[in-house]
Amino acid sequence: MLLHVRHTSTYTYDGPVALNPHTLYLYPRTYPYQRLMAYELIIDPVPSKIVRNVDAEGNVQQVVFFHGPTHHLSVTADMSLQSDDFNSFDFVIFPFESKKLPGFRYEPGVEALLHPHLDRSTVTAEIELWARRMAAGANWDTIEFLSVLNRTIRSFTYETREHGAPLPPEQTLMNRHGSCRDYTVLFMAACRSLGLAARFVSGYLFGNPQQEHELHAWAEVYLPGAGWRGYDPTEGSVVNNRHIFLTSTARPELAAPITGSYSGSASATFTNELMISSDNAVEI
């Protein structure tokens, strides 16, 4: 299917400000079953320069430079993507020993590359105990554990929190409620507690009315022989062709779609508008 996304972020200042360089993560990543067909970035005031880079984790990073004072900033990303249906479970874990937990191990060369995604700084004793109990209930089967973990977090009470960093994962576990980004960092911490590399993904989700008007977050787990595989604990499902990828990172705080600052004493207000639609026409 063909997916259309139009995402507008508007900042209004109650006095004149000078905009410092802003970094945007609003350009979709390409996956084997999803490709970008059209993209337009509209910014007001018109920037003096836009530099498009690939960052250290392979994401497209757009750095925007401005000149002159302004009372507002509007950023619109308009994109169309061909997103093909696929079987999320069409993979083979190899070596076969990786099918079981605990004792899950990556090959040394791969593990060195995955080191940032194995960071245990947010893993507490409570999270590890919780994860191990689920793994034991899943007979220490790697894929079954990931499915149980996904469904368990899905059973928490969802809340909308438009701004702010993800909550500490143990707080989400104790409270049994949170936003999609809170669910994602808890999922990541549980995976990392058992030696599974996990990363944070920011993007969009089509088909869920609750998520279609805000950015969405989910996790990816690196499985030997299968590579990065997506799990969405907010949906309680594996990632499919309704997910649109913007940024993936070992550190969730780096996934913000827009970061930047301004010089001046004015206060700012923020509004956000997101529209996602589908056209089943297939483009060749």
Side-chain angles (χ1 to χ4, degrees):
M1 67 181 161
L2 192 64
L3 295 174
H4 307 276
V5 179
R6 186 175 179 87
H7 183 192
T8 299
S9 300
T10 303
Y11 302 83
T12 304
Y13 310 99
D14 61 7
V17 301
L19 297 172
N20 297 320
H22 281 53
T23 300
L24 313 183
Y25 284 108
L26 288 169
Y27 193 97
R29 294 191 65 153
T30 298
Y31 275 66
Y33 51 86
Q34 192 170 85
R35 61 190 184 275
L36 183 64
M37 309 301 292
Y39 183 86
E40 184 179 12
L41 182 65
I42 306 163
I43 300 177
D44 182 27
V46 176
S48 59
K49 189 174 184 63
I50 300 177
V51 180
R52 188 170 289 170
N53 307 315
V54 176
D55 74 5
E57 296 184 278
N59 303 297
V60 175
Q61 174 192 82
Q62 300 179 96
V63 184
V64 186
F65 299 86
F66 301 92
H67 62 85
T70 183
H71 283 78
H72 70 277
L73 170 62
S74 175
V75 178
T76 298
D78 195 307
M79 64 194 80
S80 297
L81 304 99
Q82 182 62 44
S83 192
D84 301 328
D85 194 15
F86 71 102
N87 181 356
S88 302
F89 294 102
D90 186 20
F91 60 82
V92 176
I93 293 184
F94 183 83
F96 299 128
E97 293 80 6
S98 302
K99 292 183 177 182
K100 286 290 185 178
L101 302 165
F104 183 97
R105 293 288 184 274
Y106 295 105
E107 295 180 0
V110 173
E111 185 172 3
L113 294 174
L114 293 173
H115 180 73
H117 305 91
L118 292 163
D119 177 70
R120 293 174 57 93
S121 59
T122 61
V123 176
T124 63
E126 188 66 30
I127 288 175
E128 183 163 2
L129 178 61
W130 178 65
R132 293 181 71 85
R133 284 173 176 167
M134 274 187 287
N139 196 31
W140 299 99
D141 181 89
T142 302
I143 300 304
E144 182 59 21
F145 162 72
L146 293 171
S147 297
V148 172
L149 174 61
N150 221 22
R151 294 194 301 268
T152 299
I153 298 176
R154 172 67 176 83
S155 70
F156 293 179
T157 301
Y158 184 80
E159 65 180 16
T160 299
R161 212 160 39 80
E162 293 184 359
H163 308 295
L167 297 176
E170 184 169 316
Q171 182 177 339
T172 301
L173 175 60
M174 296 295 100
N175 293 338
R176 295 297 201 272
H177 65 75
S179 68
C180 59
R181 58 191 180 281
D182 303 324
Y183 288 0
T184 298
V185 297
L186 175 58
F187 186 99
M188 291 166 58
C191 289
R192 291 177 178 184
S193 75
L194 296 177
L196 290 164
R199 67 184 183 183
F200 185 97
V201 183
S202 174
Y204 308 110
L205 173 63
F206 172 71
N208 182 331
Q210 181 172 268
Q211 299 296 329
E212 279 184 15
H213 301 292
E214 58 187 48
L215 276 167
H216 190 47
W218 60 93
E220 287 185 328
V221 181
Y222 193 86
L223 300 173
W228 290 107
R229 294 285 162 167
Y231 289 83
D232 187 341
T234 304
E235 295 284 289
S237 65
V238 292
V239 166
N240 55 39
N241 67 327
R242 297 183 297 115
H243 291 76
I244 300 167
F245 305 76
L246 289 179
T247 311
S248 59
T249 176
R251 299 171 56 189
E253 68 273 16
L254 300 180
I258 303 176
T259 57
S261 61
Y262 61 87
S263 301
S265 58
S267 297
T269 58
F270 171 74
T271 58
N272 180 69
E273 183 179 359
L274 173 61
M275 294 181 293
I276 309 175
S277 61
S278 170
D279 181 347
N280 288 323
V282 177
E283 297 190 14
I284 305 299

